[in-house]
Amino acid sequence: MSRKRPGKQNRRSPFKRRSKPGAAPGTMIVDPQAPKPRVRLIAFGPDEFLETEVEDLEKIAQIRGRFPVIWVNVDGLGDASVLSRLQKIFGLHPLAMEDVVNSHQRPKVESYDGQLFIIARELTVRETCLENDQLAIFVGQGFVISFQEIRGDCFDPVRARIRDRSGQFRSRGPDYLCYTLIDAVVDSYFPTVESLGEKLEAAEESILRRPCEKDLVRLHDLKRDLLLVRRAAWPLREAIGSLIRDRHPLITESTLAYLRDAADHTVQIIDLVETDRELCSDLRDIYLSSVSMRMNQIVKVLTIISTIFIPLTFLAGVYGMNFDPAAGPLSMPELRQPLGYAGFWGVCLLIAVSLLGLFAWLGWLGERSEP
Amino acid sequence: MSRKRPGKQNRRSPFKRRSKPGAAPGTMIVDPQAPKPRVRLIAFGPDEFLETEVEDLEKIAQIRGRFPVIWVNVDGLGDASVLSRLQKIFGLHPLAMEDVVNSHQRPKVESYDGQLFIIARELTVRETCLENDQLAIFVGQGFVISFQEIRGDCFDPVRARIRDRSGQFRSRGPDYLCYTLIDAVVDSYFPTVESLGEKLEAAEESILRRPCEKDLVRLHDLKRDLLLVRRAAWPLREAIGSLIRDRHPLITESTLAYLRDAADHTVQIIDLVETDRELCSDLRDIYLSSVSMRMNQIVKVLTIISTIFIPLTFLAGVYGMNFDPAAGPLSMPELRQPLGYAGFWGVCLLIAVSLLGLFAWLGWLGERSEP
Amino acid sequence: MSRKRPGKQNRRSPFKRRSKPGAAPGTMIVDPQAPKPRVRLIAFGPDEFLETEVEDLEKIAQIRGRFPVIWVNVDGLGDASVLSRLQKIFGLHPLAMEDVVNSHQRPKVESYDGQLFIIARELTVRETCLENDQLAIFVGQGFVISFQEIRGDCFDPVRARIRDRSGQFRSRGPDYLCYTLIDAVVDSYFPTVESLGEKLEAAEESILRRPCEKDLVRLHDLKRDLLLVRRAAWPLREAIGSLIRDRHPLITESTLAYLRDAADHTVQIIDLVETDRELCSDLRDIYLSSVSMRMNQIVKVLTIISTIFIPLTFLAGVYGMNFDPAAGPLSMPELRQPLGYAGFWGVCLLIAVSLLGLFAWLGWLGERSEP
Amino acid sequence: MSRKRPGKQNRRSPFKRRSKPGAAPGTMIVDPQAPKPRVRLIAFGPDEFLETEVEDLEKIAQIRGRFPVIWVNVDGLGDASVLSRLQKIFGLHPLAMEDVVNSHQRPKVESYDGQLFIIARELTVRETCLENDQLAIFVGQGFVISFQEIRGDCFDPVRARIRDRSGQFRSRGPDYLCYTLIDAVVDSYFPTVESLGEKLEAAEESILRRPCEKDLVRLHDLKRDLLLVRRAAWPLREAIGSLIRDRHPLITESTLAYLRDAADHTVQIIDLVETDRELCSDLRDIYLSSVSMRMNQIVKVLTIISTIFIPLTFLAGVYGMNFDPAAGPLSMPELRQPLGYAGFWGVCLLIAVSLLGLFAWLGWLGERSEP
Amino acid sequence: MSRKRPGKQNRRSPFKRRSKPGAAPGTMIVDPQAPKPRVRLIAFGPDEFLETEVEDLEKIAQIRGRFPVIWVNVDGLGDASVLSRLQKIFGLHPLAMEDVVNSHQRPKVESYDGQLFIIARELTVRETCLENDQLAIFVGQGFVISFQEIRGDCFDPVRARIRDRSGQFRSRGPDYLCYTLIDAVVDSYFPTVESLGEKLEAAEESILRRPCEKDLVRLHDLKRDLLLVRRAAWPLREAIGSLIRDRHPLITESTLAYLRDAADHTVQIIDLVETDRELCSDLRDIYLSSVSMRMNQIVKVLTIISTIFIPLTFLAGVYGMNFDPAAGPLSMPELRQPLGYAGFWGVCLLIAVSLLGLFAWLGWLGERSEP
């Protein structure tokens, strides 16, 4: 009866690490178990391009301003000194930096002193279990900084597109780069939702064919994952929407159409998730009904066999009684009849057939798929 | 216990084909299994009319501008070269073209550089299974281009009305043609919803008369189809609404009243779907209750027969015991009574009648339709 | 197990008749089975009054303009020529006329070329079954035209008030007449909702006293009727609301207060319907629980009787065994004891009493109303 | 099985009395069974005070204008002449007067010709049953008129405060008096909700300790009462809100803060009602589950005792068979073994112990609170 | 069957103490059982700092104005004289003071005569039971006054930050102090929600492994606590939102960003609570289904054993009948066959094996985790 669910225990952890209640806002308390930061720099302009892994952060301060766009990507948040150095170089707001290290923020867009601060959630499937990591993006004049909770992101195609000298990417500004990062995240939700849809498909198949108790746990896990996706996509949609509506000066007109496209994709994700959730509920009802039907069938078999044999057993008991036939003419005269035994079997047969007829009339002997 | 559901497996596929996450926006990746495009051109004005199937797309470029309205209809999206040629001829926006080939878009209206881009979903019943195909419409100065996922559309009456010289159609502009296409799609939802309503009717009939397990699967399929219709109609209503509200310069005043009419029809569709969904839920509850009632009845039969015969069987067992009547006056004296056996039957009858009376008093012997 | 539900089959038909998808908007396709139109004219002013049944529609064209207010009421929509003649006389919009004959429209208010077009639904109970007919009203300069799907309306009190020379009715314009018609429809919902409330009351009484399977079907029918009322009242409320908000030039200031009153009444209707629907759901739960309780009770009786007699029967079986008492001292010595038989009964009594005690301790022998 | 519910039958009556559909708006049809009106007048100013029970309504007409504020309170609506006299004296709007006598209005605020018309619902518990009476308030220049459906109101503390010369009440205008009346009504909801909360508490106690069928009816009644409170409080909140937003000229700036406070209290009421309703639903689920658990337990007892004794009974039956041991060596040789009988008991014990072991392993013999 | 739930009885009390309905608004009726007030004063400016426990309230009046910011914190509301003295010193509004002592207010922000009045709820876990206390904050020119229902708050880190001369706290105004208090309250919700999440985790573990009846009560308690948190966080979010939107003159531009951060945190809280509530519902369904499965299994065991042995017992009964073999050739000839007894066992075995085969075919003998 006990089921092991490997990899599920670290599932609800996202909101454990917090600055203490009452602590000064903007306090940056780093999770000591988080991986050490790895800083990668890509700087580009229409005709320039530089890509390098950064060890010494001062180098970034030197490069700043020399390229139209600088993209600093930080994987891992385990070192406060790296983060506060970057904060100083680019003048990032302390409240935003607090959100970066408390990696359980809702997706949102905020504007601090002319800079945009954007939170999104990256969803990845690790060992059958949906993980939910934070991506924080700062956009400022001439730079984009992205902080990711873990190493291994979905930005490799973006990097390839920047490296590709022939594309139009290099002639665009930091707002387009920012859009590209958001779009990469949103697009990465699609395979996730697809794989959840396939699991739902499998659960449906199983429930409609031969429901077993595990299906309900499967549906529960699916619902949880769908909730997770919704919690990632719903506020992201609002965030992108507010970005479009409020027209931050950093966002150029030409990028707006792209952002609208990204917003549209989040709506599609939400739509799919909602449909899947409705189907989940429906399947659970079908499962429960199916369990009831089984029960019905089992009880029917019990009832048919019991009600047929109980009267017969009584009859056999009657003729097993030891009333003395010699005591009088009314004292079990059947026992001495030559055809008494045969008559007993005849009565038994009659009873059985009548009862079976009754059950058939009640529709209990129909095909199995009927209740 | 296993049920085959033919034609259902390709049901949830609409969101499989996607440009890869992180790919450049506007990338047009054609589904290799999609049917090859078939391009049909209708060009008309108050006094002109031309209808032709187009093999060489250059011809369209030549015709463009010579007629007040050109309607290019493309069935099948399986050839990227055709699509990109059309894109160039009419200056269609790359983001919109990406949505055309990724044929799982939500209905929407977008405006790109003075052109309108509209997505709607066509619903068709193919072999008992509701299919959901994409219709993409571009409206620009003097032209309408419609892209359909599959061949065989619901636009034949529209074509007939254009061919009909006497009608007012030819004197109207591309915005009216665009409305006509949307209206044809919306109107085609009505037979779909009607047929779902009839299926619901049939399921109701079956559940109220003689519920069987298949009914629940039927309701599940119905609910799924209703969800599909809602997902097609709900965003379409919003899209048409935004078209009316935002007054794009391409939409003339006289077309607005027609668009309002179309929006009204989508509301009707949504209304019907919502009512049907509520009735679905209700029927499921009636079904489940009906299953419980059956169970109740089965158990009642078991209980009545068991509780009557169990005491009788015990009594028969008592007089079948081998206590030696010779051992003493208290040792089964009944066995030697001349009326002992008759008395046994009398007691049995008494017990049976009393228990039946008890059950009648409990209301268990009432008509079958009572619980 | 089969239940007949007379008069329910024509219930879901309202949305069957449609112009074909893709047909020209404004196409008026008359239902051939609809009753033939009967046209009644009432014309009045502060000092004039004319009431007549119209055979020749040209008469209306002549009268038009001679009276401050003309009210043309058409019962039955079965003759396209009558409708198109009226359309021409009063310049009614084709899209509105299409909605008149497709008598399954949602309540709405629309404005075409300075005329108001209003749809409402009339609810009438015919042979225990709630019918839902369309009322279409056109209001223009100096006239009101009402189209009703069936003969026999709720406007007789209105006519009486117009005939009544002493009332203020005759001094008012067409907007007040239009309000009066809408108000008559809204007021007619109250008896409908009251009768549904009484049915709910009866179902509640039955379910709380002695639930039977028919109650669930009753609740299902009730819910359906409540849905129908809601679908009539909800959009009507929005429609009247938009009439108040948008201030059409035909609506005078003094009529606004009356319209607000009518809107208020629709809100009351919706309120009552929502409360009744909640109580419906609640009653269904009580019903289902009641069924479970019955089941519980039946199984309890079975269990009590079975568990008492099963051990006793076993004991009787033991002393019915034919082990030879002569085989040894351990071979059924009880059979020869003078008090063996009395002892058997004593043990039986002891077992029965102990088990009854156990059941009493478990609370199974309590009053019947407890689970 | 039948339950009597005294005092519940007149529960759903509030919407029975209506002007007939189609009747002229503003028609005042008095309920003949309503109590006769009792008119009380309080007139006051900073330095004046008059309190009297009014028999002759002309007196009011005389007093009007002599005091800064006149408050006419009418208890009982059973006399049309009194109502229409008041209507004439103060120039009340006919539509509003119609709402006064049709005492089933939703709470609302309306403005007629510079006068405010306010409807609220008074909730009182009479003989365990929640009653819902109408309070209608007119506020005009220098007067407040309140119509109450029944005698016995919650305004005595208000009267006491006006009589109290030292308070600030007398220096305020009719708008403050109106606020005070509304506030008295809203405040009177708190004890009602508290008593419902206590009933919920009691039901919870009963359901968690020893659920019985009556609990479900109790929850049903509770839910009904909560719905009633919500139907009184929800629209009242909207009404007060619109009073604050729309700034009627009769409402002075200083009264606004008080109205905001009253609106705040209605929100609190709604909040409490919503929480209680959620807990109601939850308790119903717990109740139903508890019923299932009982069922489980009963069936478990039946199963344990049956499955243990059924094989034993069979065995006893076997050795009760009359096969002739003399017929051959294989014909029931056990019967003649000296230890045959003891062996039989041994086998029985063995079977019983094994089965009990099996059940223990299945966890069926655990503590009772486990399923 | 009875469960004790210590510490739950005083759970629903928060809305017991109220000024009487109809009482003058602003009446301050102190709960006599509330703890006596303890007043602590912290006054600070960029270069000054004073912290003291206040016995004589006149001292506050003297200090007022001498420091840029004065923070008066009152723990316990049991003394009306203290409260009214503070009211006079700082000119607090009577309606606000009424809300302070009626400590069951919804979180809200109100503005009275240039002062801000803010209500929030403090959540603390006391002896496994979630307590919900009121925090009322007044912000005025140069002062903040906080009233807490109980002693022992979450403001110690705030005090530490003020005492810390090196921080920026002392250079900020009362609006920042007010934000800090609200933020401390909001931040204190996180550990509460985390601990509820852990309880949910534990309940999930238990329900998925070995469901027992207590789990349902646990879920019920959890749901109640989640409702409590939601009722604290949801209106607080609105309140902070209105503070940001309405831009009260007391709130400086620089504090706005911090308030936005706090609003963001409440949204996170609500988000977590909603997810947990959905999982709660889901778990309840899994629990109920699990109970059904158990039932199924129990009934299956009963059915298998009964249906196997019932026919066998009948057969044994048959050969225990006392028909006289001497009466004729058809009268139980089997009894004298040498192999009759062995044949009986053979038939028994055959029946048992066939039935087991049938059950295996029906899938009833599968692994236990299947229905």
Side-chain angles (χ1 to χ4, degrees), chain A residues 315-326 328-342 344, chain B residues 319 335 341, chain D residues 322, chain E residues 317-318 320-328 330-332 335:
Chain A
L315 213 63
V318 165
Y319 294 109
M321 295 193 299
N322 293 325
F323 285 99
D324 191 353
L330 287 175
S331 190
M332 307 198 81
E334 304 93 332
L335 293 184
R336 290 188 176 167
Q337 304 291 339
L339 292 176
Y341 182 58
F344 164 81
Chain B
Y319 293 109
L335 293 185
Y341 183 57
Chain D
N322 293 324
Chain E
V318 165
M321 295 193 299
N322 293 325
F323 284 99
D324 190 354
L330 287 175
S331 190
M332 306 196 80
L335 293 184

Side-chain angles (χ1 to χ4, degrees), chain D residues 54-68:
Chain D
V54 180
E55 299 293 333
D56 179 10
L57 294 171
E58 298 316 310
K59 223 175 127 184
I60 297 176
Q62 293 157 18
I63 285 172
R64 217 198 141 180
R66 289 207 225 139
F67 288 83

Side-chain angles (χ1 to χ4, degrees), chain B residues 201 208 278 282 296 322 371, chain C residues 3 12 277 294-295 319:
Chain B
E201 200 83 336
L208 289 182
E278 290 222 27
D282 226 45
N296 249 357
N322 293 325
Chain C
R3 278 172 243 94
R12 286 180 54 90
R277 285 180 67 209
R294 282 253 184 158
M295 183 72 167
Y319 292 109

